[in-house]
Amino acid sequence: MALSLNGTTGISGVDGSASAPAIKGTDNNSGISYASDTVNINTGGTTRATIDSSGSLDVPSNFPIKVSGSEKLRIASDGKIGIGLTSPATAMHIKNAD
């Protein structure tokens, strides 16, 4: 079965607001929703990431990157980048090898 997109706001005939995701998982408040020129990724009823019409990824706060469930890199909300730690103290903070 193919999905039909209406060209501007998401799947035809689907609201797509954060409170009613257009594509959802097993609960009613997680999934993908669409807004004007954006695609939103929602979990727990909250938008966790947005991709806009220029292709930019926007997250509402810190941006952790995990591998096998363990955080390896973080871009903090103040712009600092931490590798191997969750609270970078400088613009680029790399944890020393153990």
Side-chain angles (χ1 to χ4, degrees):
M1 176 178 100
L3 296 175
S4 174
L5 300 180
N6 69 12
T8 57
T9 60
I11 299 172
S12 297
V14 178
D15 174 355
S17 67
S19 62
I23 300 172
K24 58 185 174 180
T26 56
D27 61 6
N28 289 326
N29 58 7
S30 295
I32 299 172
S33 62
Y34 304 89
S36 178
D37 293 328
T38 63
V39 175
N40 304 301
I41 300 169
N42 311 297
T43 60
T46 300
T47 297
R48 305 296 180 178
T50 298
I51 301 172
D52 66 22
S53 61
S54 70
S56 296
L57 174 66
D58 185 21
V59 295
S61 60
N62 296 315
F63 184 55
I65 297 176
K66 296 180 178 182
V67 176
S68 298
S70 176
E71 186 171 323
K72 304 299 181 191
L73 182 135
R74 173 178 293 250
I75 302 173
S77 58
D78 61 4
K80 294 175 183 168
I81 298 171
I83 298 174
L85 44 85
T86 59
S87 299
T90 59
M92 174 69 84
H93 192 169
I94 301 171
K95 180 180 178 182
N96 292 332
D98 295 329

